[in-house]
Amino acid sequence: MTTEKITNIARRLFKNVGFDIVEPFSIQTYNDKVDSNYHLPTYNREETLGLLVGNTKNVWDYFIDYCANNPDYLETETNPFDTYVKKKTRSVTKKLLEEFKKETNENQTEIEYDIRNVMDVSPGRMVLVQHLAHHISFAYHCKQTYMNIHPTYGSWFSFRNVIIFDLENDQQQQQQQ
């Protein structure tokens, strides 16, 4: 119930800022498939909840509107789109947890989380997101082209963030080898 509830809230909120891909997964599924240098935190849980967040072409309308409503934004930001992604991910994640806690009466506890931006390649923060997408059966990873292929989006989508929650993933997951 936790995974379904948080995923539904996340899909609604992220879609409102242009990120129309939100896929839940078990952190342990990812950690079991990658070198320990790329492991994600599990918060000492058996099955830790993670969300893979990305977008299709739909993000551009939201980004353009954001820029139009903030006239100095493009001139003051070195990497305007990356900043938009980070800013919106942080604000949506906070709102997501507020709504989740209200719906589940978890108001008395703070839920820890960690946001990993896929552009972050610093030691201990990097996520092998293409492998993650493959192993959680979201998108096939083609080793010849180094691309992920999704059954609906083809290769026309992007991964932006992985969010790890100190919550139990109570959803069974199909895995690819």
Side-chain angles (χ1 to χ4, degrees):
M1 193 68 130
T2 297
T3 301
E4 182 180 354
K5 195 173 288 273
I6 207 158
T7 300
N8 289 338
I9 298 168
R11 285 181 173 147
R12 178 176 46 80
L13 294 175
F14 275 109
K15 189 173 185 178
N16 290 338
V17 295
F19 302 106
D20 48 1
I21 296 172
V22 176
E23 191 66 24
F25 69 97
S26 165
I27 298 301
Q28 286 77 357
T29 296
Y30 169 79
N31 286 352
D32 287 346
K33 302 287 184 179
V34 299
D35 183 272
S36 62
N37 291 322
Y38 302 106
H39 279 187
L40 298 174
T42 62
Y43 299 104
N44 296 315
R45 292 184 174 275
E46 252 182 69
E47 292 293 327
T48 310
L49 176 60
L51 293 179
L52 174 60
V53 179
N55 63 273
T56 62
K57 65 181 180 178
N58 297 326
V59 74
W60 297 109
D61 290 334
Y62 293 89
F63 177 64
I64 290 167
D65 286 347
Y66 182 81
C67 292
N69 291 322
N70 298 282
D72 296 333
Y73 184 74
L74 292 176
E75 295 171 15
T76 59
E77 291 297 330
T78 308
N79 296 302
F81 187 72
D82 288 344
T83 301
Y84 175 83
V85 169
K86 290 174 185 175
K87 184 177 184 174
K88 293 301 178 182
T89 301
R90 281 192 304 270
S91 65
V92 166
T93 302
K94 287 179 184 175
K95 186 169 176 58
L96 160 65
L97 289 173
E98 288 170 12
E99 285 192 30
F100 176 76
K101 289 194 297 189
K102 282 181 190 173
E103 284 190 25
T104 58
N105 296 318
E106 294 282 338
N107 288 328
Q108 71 278 3
T109 58
E110 195 63 35
I111 298 170
E112 285 188 57
Y113 65 94
D114 185 12
I115 299 172
R116 302 284 178 100
N117 185 282
V118 300
M119 300 301 289
D120 188 349
V121 295
S122 50
R125 300 288 302 165
M126 188 174 174
V127 179
L128 302 176
V129 71
Q130 289 181 301
H131 295 284
L132 166 62
H134 178 82
H135 292 301
I136 65 170
S137 299
F138 177 76
Y140 172 75
H141 182 236
C142 177
K143 291 175 176 70
Q144 288 78 29
T145 62
Y146 299 103
M147 297 176 73
N148 283 93
I149 311 296
H150 185 273
T152 302
Y153 310 126
S155 61
W156 297 99
F157 65 96
S158 294
F159 301 118
R160 300 297 172 190
N161 294 290
V162 169
I163 308 169
I164 305 110
F165 297 96
D166 185 6
L167 292 169
E168 197 71 27
N169 179 7
D170 55 9
Q171 175 180 305
Q172 288 296 321
Q173 191 149 26
Q174 182 181 20
Q175 296 180 36
Q176 287 197 17
Q177 301 304 318

